[in-house]
Amino acid sequence: MSTGDATYIKALNKRILIEKIIEHQSISRIELSRLTGLNRSTVSSQINHMMEEQLIIERPSEVSYGGRKPILLQINEAAGYTIGIDFDMPQTQIQIANLLGKPLANYQVQTDDEDVCKNISNVVEKVHDVLKEHRVSESPKGLTGIGIGIHGIVNNDHNIVFTPKLQWNNINMKEAFEKHFDVPIHIDNNANLTVYAEQVYHYPMEDLFSITMYSGIGLGILEGNDIYKGSQGFAGEIGHMIVERNGLQCSCGNKGCWELYASEHALKKTLKAKGYIKQSSEEFDLTEIKDTTIIEEYLDYMAVGLNNIINIFNPEIIIINSEFMHQNRHLLTSLKKRLNSRMNNYQEIVTSSLGKEACSLGGVAISLKEYYGINSLNLSHYPYFNEVGKASIS
């Protein structure tokens, strides 16, 4: 066997072991050997090396089956950190997490300047402040990666092609961040990171679909544990599927795009026009909306897009990431009744409990996946979130 082959196999074995340790939270060497098929000497050699790196720690089992308690292995979650960013206007969200993807704190920074460079500079400065606050440089691994979600089209080279909301064109944000942080920078569409967060934290399935429905509408697609991006990275721009011929003008250039009728922004725009929301506010109470045709029409348009998605992709589970739908989950019954085609076949439609934190959490998760070099990251058994999906930050 050549040196190159031996190095590759060692790296592969390390990734396999890390994946299993994370999945099981804590596990013995014997159980690792059994689950992975690796012999005990290989497991011990790899574990010893990772313990020297301070990536793995030992602890005694709390349960004894007679004799000495087994020694369990787990990831040293305090060994390093990762950052997830949901880059949006007028505010950008920054999430910091440990090496087990546990959210430690969530920050907001103003990004409402017309100057793209100024917005990027504000976020970079805030990230530096966050790293100092958590004393990241003092940890064994330090900062391991940054994942950034963009509300627009991002190509396979991580370059921002176009953002309808911000009107950005051909922005190399990756290079801008690399000048300040000597770690891998991953930039992707916000819907892609959102669906990845759902898989990692709640739904450990190889194939998954998530629809974000805030200022616009985006579709995140996971196929075989990988984010499906299409040939150039443009896949999932489902909000620009035309549902009304000669309909409302969209900033993308077309008319009648789905997000102009079924996004939360579209709903709030209608409610403001009808006087149910003050112009200076975004808040409203569903029970105070006397004109029921507004919500009925909104659900009609939502169902049009969902019907198309279901018929094209035949998904098992669809996750709707919408604060409005999550707070009014009883509307799912009315929505499902509109999906009555004999061609429709899906198992479940649910609302996201991660909500507006999903994108930044996806940035955290994708950075961790790349840092460990693993095929899948499963944190669904970790008690990170309370009943409403918000991070339980201690």
Side-chain angles (χ1 to χ4, degrees):
M1 181 185 296
S2 69
T3 303
D5 290 339
T7 301
Y8 170 76
I9 291 172
K10 284 182 179 179
L12 179 62
N13 290 341
K14 180 180 180 180
R15 292 196 294 267
I16 292 170
L17 291 170
I18 288 174
E19 196 168 296
K20 288 300 178 185
I21 293 170
I22 292 174
E23 181 182 345
H24 291 268
Q25 300 185 48
S26 58
I27 189 171
S28 68
R29 287 172 171 82
I30 294 175
E31 189 67 5
L32 268 178
S33 177
R34 186 185 70 81
L35 289 173
T36 61
L38 300 174
N39 63 53
R40 293 187 185 183
S41 62
T42 298
V43 171
S44 291
S45 175
Q46 287 278 358
I47 293 301
N48 290 340
H49 181 66
M50 285 189 278
M51 287 180 66
E52 290 175 3
E53 293 181 323
Q54 301 184 59
L55 187 60
I56 299 291
I57 56 175
E58 293 180 325
R59 71 169 181 84
S61 172
E62 297 175 359
V63 180
S64 175
Y65 299 98
R68 190 172 63 179
K69 291 182 179 180
I71 299 297
L72 301 181
L73 305 165
Q74 60 188 44
I75 297 291
N76 181 8
E77 61 183 58
Y81 300 83
T82 183
I83 292 283
I85 300 173
D86 180 358
F87 210 114
D88 199 9
M89 180 182 276
Q91 284 190 321
T92 287
Q93 183 183 132
I94 299 172
Q95 191 103 224
I96 183 168
N98 64 23
L99 279 193
L100 273 176
K102 181 180 180 179
L104 302 176
N106 193 324
Y107 303 85
Q108 305 290 332
V109 56
Q110 288 298 120
T111 45
D112 52 3
D113 199 291
E114 292 184 3
D115 186 346
V116 177
C117 295
K118 179 64 175 175
N119 286 329
I120 293 174
S121 178
N122 288 342
V123 174
V124 166
E125 184 179 346
K126 186 62 178 179
V127 171
H128 278 300
D129 291 342
V130 171
L131 298 180
K132 289 178 183 177
E133 179 182 336
H134 290 268
R135 303 169 72 173
V136 170
S137 62
E138 298 177 20
S139 62
K141 300 297 181 182
L143 181 64
T144 59
I146 298 176
I148 305 172
I150 301 296
H151 295 244
I153 297 173
V154 180
N155 65 23
N156 290 330
D157 294 322
H158 302 270
N159 291 324
I160 301 169
V161 178
F162 177 64
T163 60
K165 185 177 178 182
L166 303 175
Q167 293 293 302
W168 289 356
N169 291 280
N170 301 316
I171 303 296
N172 193 337
M173 186 180 287
K174 187 174 189 289
E175 185 178 273
F177 271 79
E178 286 175 339
K179 289 179 180 178
H180 297 272
F181 306 101
D182 188 22
V183 296
I185 308 294
H186 183 99
I187 299 181
D188 210 331
N189 171 268
N190 68 303
N192 290 342
L193 294 188
T194 294
V195 73
Y196 190 63
E198 296 288 356
Q199 184 202 46
V200 169
Y201 289 102
H202 283 160
Y203 300 93
M205 306 167 60
E206 288 192 359
D207 302 319
L208 197 62
F209 294 77
S210 173
I211 306 171
T212 57
M213 310 189 78
Y214 293 100
S215 58
I217 298 179
L219 175 65
I221 306 168
L222 276 176
E223 183 180 35
N225 287 322
D226 291 324
I227 297 171
Y228 179 76
K229 299 182 180 182
S231 64
Q232 295 177 308
F234 293 14
E237 290 296 330
I238 204 74
H240 298 284
M241 167 178 59
I242 296 173
V243 297
E244 281 287 355
R245 181 172 175 267
N246 295 323
L248 298 172
Q249 180 66 52
C250 182
S251 60
C252 76
N254 283 326
K255 292 182 178 180
C257 292
W258 187 34
E259 67 180 40
L260 299 179
Y261 303 88
S263 65
E264 282 194 13
H265 176 74
L267 175 60
K268 290 177 180 179
K269 186 176 180 180
T270 301
L271 292 174
K272 283 184 178 181
K274 298 286 186 177
Y276 289 108
I277 302 180
K278 295 179 180 179
Q279 292 299 322
S280 59
S281 173
E282 293 291 316
E283 303 298 323
F284 67 94
D285 185 346
L286 182 62
T287 60
E288 295 179 358
I289 300 174
K290 306 304 180 184
D291 186 354
T292 57
T293 60
I294 296 175
I295 301 302
E296 292 299 315
E297 186 174 89
Y298 178 71
L299 292 175
D300 285 343
Y301 276 117
M302 189 182 291
V304 169
L306 283 175
N307 262 302
N308 292 338
I309 292 169
I310 291 168
N311 288 335
I312 293 170
F313 295 105
N314 185 214
E316 182 177 350
I317 293 179
I318 299 176
I319 303 164
I320 297 176
N321 192 310
S322 160
E323 191 172 33
F324 169 69
M325 290 300 293
H326 190 63
Q327 291 175 349
N328 301 281
R329 289 191 288 281
H330 62 280
L331 293 177
L332 283 177
T333 302
S334 298
L335 180 62
K336 291 174 183 177
K337 287 179 180 178
R338 289 165 163 81
L339 307 175
N340 50 18
S341 168
R342 290 184 179 180
M343 302 303 293
N344 279 346
N345 188 12
Y346 64 91
Q347 180 176 307
E348 194 174 6
I349 296 177
V350 299
T351 60
S352 172
S353 59
L354 296 179
K356 291 184 177 180
E357 292 190 20
C359 177
S360 58
L361 287 169
V364 162
I366 202 73
S367 294
L368 280 179
K369 180 185 179 183
E370 292 189 354
Y371 173 68
Y372 290 125
I374 55 182
N375 291 325
S376 64
L377 179 64
N378 184 359
L379 302 176
S380 61
H381 299 304
Y382 290 77
Y384 289 164
F385 300 94
N386 58 28
E387 292 182 359
V388 295
K390 299 301 181 184
S392 301
I393 296 172
S394 56

